[in-house]
Amino acid sequence: MDCSKVGKLILALRQEKGMTQKALADAMNISDRTISKWERGNGCPDVSLLRELSDILGVKIEKLLAGDLEPNETDGGNMKKVKFYVCPECGNILCCTGDSEIACCGRTLAPLTARPEDSEHAICVEEIEDDFYVTMQHEMSKQHYITFAAYVTYDRVLLVKLYPEQPAEIRFPKMHGGALYVCCSEHGLIRKMKSKK
Ligand SMILES: [Zn+2]
Ligand SMILES: [Zn+2]
């Protein structure tokens, strides 16, 4: 542990929270001299205090020990880089535009990787009035169904949740360009590229 790095991080996080050394010390039932000692790099927090300290400061213990939050690179907010995550336990769907550590039901989730359509997962898109009408000839049983469809353009994601026993059809308002995704409960994420505007 690099005590001076750890100390600087504690100082920065404490100030971010608007806490005085005394307030932090009181919250942890220790003396403010201890906090001051850490922040000056003259000693690292004892292992027994790390859990509480990380809870109060709102960071993971590993980050606290590393003395560096290693933030993600700032992205341009381009929704086209969106990644989808599905929790295998509860079916929660999450989407996110940058690199994140996503967890649900106690598990770390990896982003779904999209693959192109295949015969079982062919995506048919028709234009009806101002909408794209998306249909699939895919079964919609509880065991095997299309869980969601998402239409992604540079500045928005339209996500539509589907349920078993309902038809695999979705209407999206027409937008410029973008990409269409569907997710199958068994076969994962499938991407269709739009050819027309
Ligand atoms: Zn979950
Ligand atoms: Zn399938």
Side-chain angles (χ1 to χ4, degrees):
M1 239 192 287
D2 179 339
C3 289
S4 96
K5 271 179 88 178
V6 174
K8 278 190 192 125
L9 182 62
I10 294 173
L11 171 68
L13 292 169
R14 176 177 64 73
Q15 289 175 337
E16 222 176 88
K17 295 258 167 210
M19 291 177 99
T20 59
Q21 288 186 340
K22 174 100 173 54
L24 180 57
D26 288 350
M28 298 185 65
N29 259 320
I30 55 176
S31 106
D32 53 355
R33 284 196 310 275
T34 310
I35 309 283
S36 155
K37 196 178 76 185
W38 297 340
E39 292 184 354
R40 282 178 288 117
N42 297 329
C44 278
D46 188 76
V47 177
S48 63
L49 296 172
L50 287 175
R51 159 65 52 202
E52 204 181 358
L53 187 59
S54 82
D55 284 348
I56 296 172
L57 296 177
V59 288
K60 291 193 172 185
I61 291 183
E62 308 90 84
K63 298 290 182 188
L64 206 54
L65 292 175
D68 188 353
L69 295 182
E70 295 168 343
N72 298 330
E73 274 179 50
T74 318
D75 79 297
N78 190 333
M79 296 304 282
K80 277 187 179 168
K81 288 201 283 179
V82 76
K83 297 187 198 96
F84 296 98
Y85 301 77
V86 175
C87 173
E89 294 292 328
C90 70
N92 203 356
I93 302 166
L94 302 115
C95 56
C96 160
T97 58
D99 294 316
S100 297
E101 293 161 45
I102 303 261
C104 191
C105 296
R107 291 165 193 265
T108 310
L109 305 182
L112 301 176
T113 34
R115 51 193 186 80
E117 311 165 71
D118 55 39
S119 55
E120 202 190 347
H121 300 90
I123 303 167
C124 167
V125 180
E126 293 164 78
E127 292 184 32
I128 296 184
E129 293 147 15
D130 291 330
D131 291 341
F132 286 125
Y133 181 55
V134 178
T135 50
M136 293 182 73
Q137 304 294 325
H138 188 283
E139 68 171 280
M140 291 295 280
S141 67
K142 278 201 176 77
Q143 293 74 33
H144 184 192
Y145 68 106
I146 300 300
T147 56
F148 70 86
Y151 181 15
V152 178
T153 67
Y154 77 98
D155 69 347
R156 66 198 65 193
V157 172
L158 298 180
L159 187 98
V160 177
K161 182 87 186 78
L162 298 175
Y163 297 92
E165 317 303 342
Q166 82 177 36
E169 52 185 52
I170 313 101
R171 277 171 92 126
F172 286 112
K174 249 188 243 180
M175 294 188 288
H176 231 49
L180 183 68
Y181 295 89
V182 297
C183 186
C184 166
S185 60
E186 289 287 306
H187 302 98
L189 195 65
I190 294 131
R191 176 186 175 133
K192 183 182 188 81
M193 290 295 300
K194 284 206 174 298
S195 43
K196 34 188 179 180
K197 296 208 170 129

